Amino acid sequence: MLNFSTTLIILLLLATTPLPAQNITLVKEGKSDWVIVASPEASEPMKHGAKEIQKHIAEMSGARIPLSESITPSANGAIIIAEDGNLQSEEFRIVTSIPKEKNEIPKIEIIGDSRRGALYGCYAFLEDVLGCRWYTPEITYVPKHKTIIVPPLNIREKPAFEYREPFFFEAFDKDWAVRNRTNGNTQRLDESVGGHIVYGRFVHTFQELVPPELYFDEHPEYFSQIDGKRMKGYFQLCLTNPDVLRIAISKVKQWIQENPRATIFSVSQNDTYYNCQCEKCKAVEQEEGSPSGTLLRFVNAIAKEIEKEYPHVLIDTLAYQWSEAPPKKTKPRANVRVRLAPIGNCFAHRIDNCEKNKRMYANLKEWAKITNKLYIWHYSTNFANYLQPLPSLDEIATSLPLYKKHGVVGVFYQGSYESPGGALAELKAYLCAKLMWNPLRPVKPIIDDYLRGVYHDAAPYMKQWLDLIHEEVRNGKHAFIYDSPNADYLTDETLSSSDKILSKAEQVVANDPIAKKQVEKARLWMDYVKLMRLPSGDSRRTPLIKTLVEKFKRFGITRAKEGEPLEVFFNRIGS
């Protein structure tokens, strides 16, 4: 795959030097006699891809190449968007062909499945060949070339993971999501751009499957037994009770009927502990060597019944908290997706090289032995402090290749999903999108490219700042997703040096509104940390609170902490 710098060098050199015959001149001095072809039978996503190529080439060169349903007699070249049923879902090819006969014209063929494959091929052509970038929903880069020359191409790609969801507020944007080739459940991807993976129910569904308010009074045996007592409220289900299984199967069928577009439904534990300790559940747990065995037998039984009527539907569950360790005997059925969710990990270091992650890494390897359809629920923010930088870029860079190595097929990276403006959210979403497509890409060029595209002349300072906030964890300190602002990797020296670096960054982009806004956002994150470290009554809090309130409004920030309304946060800090 061509990288950003290579693409620019090729385009610039080819525009000014004699070219061998195999190169294709798509636009010359702002004019083109080509045509972009999508047949009348082409799907809406394929036609959308054709329009996106037209739009971006026009912005790049000034040439608006016409759209057509066939190659017109006057055309001297054609970009053809076509379907190939032999390619896998989301796979595409980009191929150039040079005329061999007088009556032929040069072609750039972009071929894939009609839903998302050909569309992704259009974006790959724009990004990897022509150098376009979509860094954030607000910041894009389209290079300017009056002449566009395309080298010989024979590209074939498909995503590394079938399910790719960077779960950050900014990544929900429709155009950003499809242009960066993600397909997550919460991303606003309608059928015009090929849709996305649709969960009928997403997670923590036990409370809805068998509601205690409906069943507990008459059937306490449906629910967790803890220390000899059946528990009413937000606990778990008794997974060996046959009536619980019957009710759950009926409920899942109801969900499917209510949401026929969905292809995956979660049958997963409530977000708490208290798995059932009744005699039957304990017996299964002991036989399997883990409570996940009891859970997986229950999920498999549901999946078996669902498959009879709905063979296209998948059933999803969690390996999380008490169910993280895999069972010894039971394996997930083919229509079951287990999502391993390592909530207790250190997110500063490699999964396979950190003392805090040994248990999770062992679980990952064991799950990979019993299923080749493992999903991951990962974490990429500080949930107690959305605006506090979690120094996890190194971990992201290494974990996605590791997941691919161990056979993971779906990845969900949970970030600051409730509000824009989370610390490092846009960079992490962008990096995740790139590595979810191809986890073997070198990470440094992706980050450097992002910094240039978003921070412009301040990019060197922002690179220095990123290194600064990662320095302590690179020297061995750990980072977790509920760390306080007094975390040991946020030293006084880190905060002081951050101020100096960001001041220099602000100075060099003082007349650049786009980059200036982004640097000010980074300053906000560090101001937040400084404020939250100060004791109540400290006079230094007043100007920091004033700055936070103003920037929250300007950046549209509606959450500083998971689940906490902004007015509660403001009351808490005394604004």
Side-chain angles (χ1 to χ4, degrees):
M1 179 185 293
L2 298 176
N3 63 33
F4 180 58
S5 58
T6 303
T7 301
L8 286 182
I9 291 170
I10 288 173
L11 290 171
L12 289 172
L13 288 176
L14 294 180
T16 57
T17 58
L19 298 168
Q22 67 265 30
N23 293 295
I24 291 175
T25 301
L26 179 58
V27 177
K28 186 173 183 179
E29 295 300 323
K31 296 181 180 180
S32 179
D33 53 8
W34 280 53
V35 66
I36 302 171
V37 178
S39 74
E41 294 76 30
S43 66
E44 283 303 307
M46 294 166 69
K47 292 176 181 177
H48 183 84
K51 292 175 183 176
E52 286 280 77
I53 289 176
Q54 181 191 55
K55 173 182 181 293
H56 284 80
I57 288 177
E59 187 174 345
M60 183 183 296
S61 67
R64 187 170 179 82
I65 302 176
L67 303 175
S68 178
E69 294 181 345
S70 61
I71 299 176
T72 57
S74 60
N76 284 316
I79 300 174
I80 300 172
I81 292 92
E83 180 182 1
D84 184 346
N86 293 318
L87 296 178
Q88 297 180 29
S89 175
E90 301 187 323
E91 186 179 15
F92 63 80
R93 291 188 65 204
I94 306 174
V95 182
T96 53
S97 60
I98 307 299
K100 295 180 180 179
E101 304 292 338
K102 289 184 178 181
N103 62 340
E104 294 179 344
I105 60 173
K107 297 183 183 70
I108 301 171
E109 296 181 86
I110 301 174
I111 309 161
D113 75 83
S114 62
R115 193 171 186 205
R116 291 192 289 270
L119 176 60
Y120 287 162
C122 293
Y123 288 123
F125 176 69
L126 290 171
E127 180 176 10
D128 301 328
V129 179
L130 300 188
C132 298
R133 296 290 187 274
W134 307 280
Y135 298 113
T136 79
E138 297 178 347
I139 302 175
T140 64
Y141 171 77
V142 178
K144 303 300 181 185
H145 300 291
K146 284 293 185 181
T147 296
I148 301 174
I149 299 174
V150 178
L153 301 174
N154 187 5
I155 299 169
R156 184 169 184 169
E157 289 186 22
K158 61 182 179 181
F161 303 101
E162 68 182 24
Y163 167 59
R164 307 175 300 283
E165 183 157 14
F167 193 59
F168 297 81
F169 185 93
E170 291 84 352
F172 300 157
D173 180 80
K174 172 183 172 180
D175 287 334
W176 184 94
V178 68
R179 288 168 175 171
N180 286 292
R181 293 177 254 169
T182 59
N183 64 3
N185 171 70
T186 49
Q187 298 177 294
R188 294 186 284 270
L189 296 164
D190 58 32
E191 291 305 314
S192 71
V193 293
H196 55 123
I197 303 297
V198 179
Y199 268 81
R201 290 296 189 279
F202 192 61
V203 74
H204 302 313
T205 58
F206 276 8
Q207 197 80 350
E208 189 179 0
L209 277 169
V210 186
E213 63 272 17
L214 293 182
Y215 291 101
F216 186 87
D217 290 345
E218 292 188 13
H219 295 283
E221 71 275 12
Y222 290 178
F223 302 92
S224 286
Q225 178 177 301
I226 306 297
D227 296 328
K229 180 182 177 182
R230 296 289 178 173
M231 308 300 289
K232 182 178 183 179
Y234 196 71
F235 296 96
Q236 307 293 351
L237 301 176
C238 179
L239 300 178
T240 56
N241 186 298
D243 287 339
V244 171
L245 176 61
R246 173 182 54 80
I247 294 167
I249 291 170
S250 177
K251 178 63 75 171
V252 173
K253 289 181 178 180
Q254 178 186 330
W255 291 344
I256 296 171
Q257 292 163 5
E258 292 170 348
N259 192 353
R261 287 183 60 249
T263 57
I264 187 165
F265 293 81
S266 183
V267 175
S268 53
Q269 66 210 60
N270 291 330
D271 195 5
T272 186
Y273 287 86
Y274 305 108
N275 53 300
C276 185
Q277 298 294 299
C278 76
E279 185 177 335
K280 289 183 178 179
C281 287
K282 282 294 291 182
V284 176
E285 180 180 334
Q286 290 170 3
E287 184 181 348
E288 294 281 7
S290 169
S292 63
T294 317
L295 172 64
L296 190 55
R297 290 187 188 187
F298 177 75
V299 171
N300 274 349
I302 293 174
K304 181 178 180 180
E305 289 303 310
I306 294 303
E307 187 177 38
K308 295 175 182 178
E309 294 183 46
Y310 306 100
H312 67 288
V313 167
L314 301 175
I315 300 299
D316 162 288
T317 196
L318 291 175
Y320 171 67
Q321 293 179 339
W322 54 269
S323 65
E324 185 178 318
K328 293 180 178 178
K329 294 187 175 182
T330 302
K331 298 180 180 181
R333 287 176 54 83
N335 62 333
V336 168
R337 298 291 183 269
V338 175
R339 280 198 280 186
L340 177 59
I343 194 168
N345 267 29
C346 164
F347 291 94
H349 304 136
R350 293 179 61 100
I351 294 170
D352 60 346
N353 190 28
C354 176
E355 62 186 35
K356 303 294 185 180
N357 298 336
K358 286 182 178 179
R359 186 182 68 174
M360 181 271 172
Y361 185 46
N363 289 336
L364 170 66
K365 291 186 289 185
E366 291 304 310
W367 276 109
K369 291 177 182 178
I370 64 173
T371 176
N372 61 359
K373 299 294 184 182
L374 187 64
Y375 279 11
I376 294 292
W377 181 305
H378 207 80
Y379 303 90
S380 297
T381 192
N382 184 317
F383 291 97
N385 300 279
Y386 277 155
L387 302 181
Q388 177 176 315
L390 177 70
S392 61
L393 289 176
D394 296 347
E395 186 269 346
I396 293 171
T398 56
S399 62
L400 280 159
L402 189 71
Y403 288 146
K404 180 62 180 176
K405 175 183 175 181
H406 287 287
V408 169
V409 298
V411 282
F412 170 90
Y413 269 58
Q414 186 176 12
S416 47
Y417 63 97
E418 295 174 298
S419 169
L424 301 174
E426 290 164 315
L427 170 55
K428 288 182 178 181
Y430 186 78
L431 179 61
C432 282
K434 299 307 165 196
L435 296 180
M436 286 174 180
W437 183 269
N438 178 7
L440 301 182
R441 285 185 60 175
V443 170
K444 185 179 182 299
I446 299 173
I447 294 177
D448 289 347
D449 176 22
Y450 178 93
L451 295 179
R452 286 194 302 270
V454 171
Y455 296 103
H456 304 166
D457 290 344
Y461 294 110
M462 299 310 295
K463 176 65 168 63
Q464 186 180 353
W465 177 75
L466 282 178
D467 286 337
L468 172 70
I469 63 173
H470 283 77
E471 182 176 348
E472 294 295 325
V473 298
R474 286 171 180 168
N475 289 329
K477 293 180 179 178
H478 301 288
F480 303 93
I481 61 174
Y482 290 101
D483 283 333
S484 82
N486 293 302
D488 62 359
Y489 52 84
L490 293 170
T491 66
D492 291 340
E493 176 59 30
T494 300
L495 296 183
S496 175
S497 297
S498 176
D499 277 343
K500 295 173 184 176
I501 294 170
L502 293 176
S503 292
K504 293 177 181 178
E506 287 176 332
Q507 289 172 11
V508 299
V509 293
N511 297 316
D512 180 342
I514 293 175
K516 180 183 177 183
K517 179 180 179 181
Q518 297 302 312
V519 175
E520 288 177 340
K521 196 182 295 183
R523 171 82 77 177
L524 165 64
W525 302 331
M526 303 312 290
D527 284 345
Y528 171 88
V529 173
K530 287 192 289 185
L531 171 66
M532 303 304 285
R533 287 162 71 110
L534 292 173
S536 178
D538 191 307
S539 61
R540 291 172 293 176
R541 291 175 61 88
T542 301
L544 287 171
I545 290 172
K546 183 178 180 181
T547 297
L548 253 66
V549 171
E550 185 275 323
K551 285 188 176 179
F552 273 39
K553 182 179 295 185
R554 180 148 53 97
F555 297 139
I557 296 171
T558 59
R559 289 283 192 278
K561 174 183 179 180
E562 185 180 34
E564 181 180 75
L566 205 55
E567 58 270 20
V568 176
F569 168 72
F570 285 148
N571 288 335
R572 180 157 59 88
I573 65 172
S575 68

